[in-house]
Amino acid sequence: MSIQSFILILLGGGVTGIFGALLGIGGGVFLIPFLVLILKIPIHEAVATGIIAVIATSSAAASVNVERRFTNIRLGMVLEVATTIGAILGGVTANIISGQALSKIFGVVLFIVAVLMLRRTREKTGDIVPIVSKKKITGIYFDPAINQEVKYSVQRLPLGLGVSFIAGNISGLLGIGGGVIKVPAMNLFCGIPLKAATATSNFMIGVTAAASAFIYYAHDRINPIVTAAAVLGILLGSVVGTQLSAKLHSRIIAGLFAIVMFFLAIEMFTG
Amino acid sequence: MPAFDDTEMENLVSLTLRWGVTVSSVFMLCGFILYATSITPLSPPHRLSFEQLLSLLTPDKNFLQRIAQPNIFFYFGIIGLTLTPILRVMIAVFSFLREKDWRYVFVSTTVLIILLLSISLSIR
């Protein structure tokens, strides 16, 4: 591979990192189609790259969120039991099936992610009213936006575990974080306020991805140059994206990118 | 539920994640510098197994010459990144043990066992 290709992947990683941070989703949903459709990298290698990139962005963002006390480490740990098992099964499955089948599954999931994102842009912004009950996992954090402490208890934990298992499965299979599925489920079904749900989901993503990373390594799917270039790019891009997200109207961007995702989904499905 | 030590755990977890990402990125960046300045470009990329990587780390007089390769630095960065979340689960186990929060010692140990099983089955 030439130095030009390295720089191209670095730039591609950077752009996907910016959009990932702007939209509040991991960059994997853009990075993998970029590697497959434009650079013609085999999908299994692209997914492995996505997994390592997801560990990098999740760990970088989680270090800030944990410090801000938005993350519920105890809840994260409980749900990680389900996500890691899901991720291992997903990783094993991905390495058994053909590239063509994997690409089709990626297309279908990307389509669903695009629908979820489009729906998010139409819904009114609003958070759940947290319920506090005894004998349940509780969390507390200080929300600077409303200048007060928010206390909540986790409702319907078995349902949360089920969704986490599916999210872990998707992560191991397709190299994307799965936060787009976990966050609404944790918020709407489990009664976790959005800030805590987002931070806790993101906190879990690194461990989830690490569970399947070694499976890809063992199957010789990790291309060191492609992965290093993409990781460096996506890390830099997410720093820039986080700075930009405070200034830009995320709803319009989310709507536009949902449309881009529909096209990418069709390309991945038919390609 | 004892909560007096949670802040300490949160700080330690945050620090681990930050340092893990930073050190791994520095390795990858060093790899990139070596790659960009290398006279013989890497084509096709050399893949290394765990055993090969470990054997390269045996210290002898050719040690520096042997590891000063872009690919080895890329691998160090990739493995460093992958081990970072595992290290933070280990810290959680240790912190819950110190807090004597047995339920979460059990939960975090379960996560750690799942992760270690995945590694051991992959590199067997």
Side-chain angles (χ1 to χ4, degrees), chain A residues 144-225:
Chain A
I146 51 171
N147 203 28
Q148 66 180 48
E149 273 192 340
V150 179
K151 198 172 183 193
Y152 60 93
S153 299
V154 180
Q155 315 293 322
R156 303 186 195 91
L157 185 62
L159 191 61
L161 282 166
V163 174
S164 298
F165 175 82
I166 295 167
N169 209 238
I170 290 171
S171 165
L173 187 68
L174 305 174
I176 59 176
V180 76
I181 298 161
K182 260 184 295 167
V183 175
M186 285 165 83
N187 184 237
L188 298 172
F189 304 146
C190 306
I192 303 158
L194 266 180
K195 276 203 171 84
T198 310
T200 306
S201 158
N202 183 66
F203 178 71
M204 288 150 61
I205 284 170
V207 166
T208 311
S212 64
F214 285 95
I215 299 169
Y216 283 87
Y217 192 11
H219 283 87
D220 201 20
R221 306 287 197 192
I222 291 181
N223 183 327
I225 304 177

Side-chain angles (χ1 to χ4, degrees), chain B residues 48-119:
Chain B
L48 295 166
S49 67
F50 276 115
E51 293 79 13
Q52 286 169 317
L53 264 181
L54 284 176
S55 68
L56 286 169
L57 291 177
T58 322
D60 57 25
K61 60 180 181 180
N62 295 325
F63 179 71
L64 281 177
Q65 195 184 355
R66 201 172 52 232
I67 67 155
Q69 310 245 0
N71 254 2
I72 294 172
F73 276 83
F74 291 149
Y75 271 116
F76 282 164
I78 293 165
I79 291 173
L81 269 179
T82 316
L83 292 179
T84 300
I86 300 172
L87 192 63
R88 79 110 164 112
V89 175
M90 286 179 180
I91 287 171
V93 174
F94 173 73
S95 301
F96 289 132
L97 261 174
R98 272 184 57 184
E99 291 183 28
K100 295 190 173 60
D101 190 343
W102 304 117
R103 181 186 294 181
Y104 285 92
V105 169
F106 174 74
V107 172
S108 48
T109 307
T110 307
V111 175
L112 189 61
I113 290 171
I114 296 169
L115 289 169
L116 296 179
L117 265 177
S118 166
I119 297 177

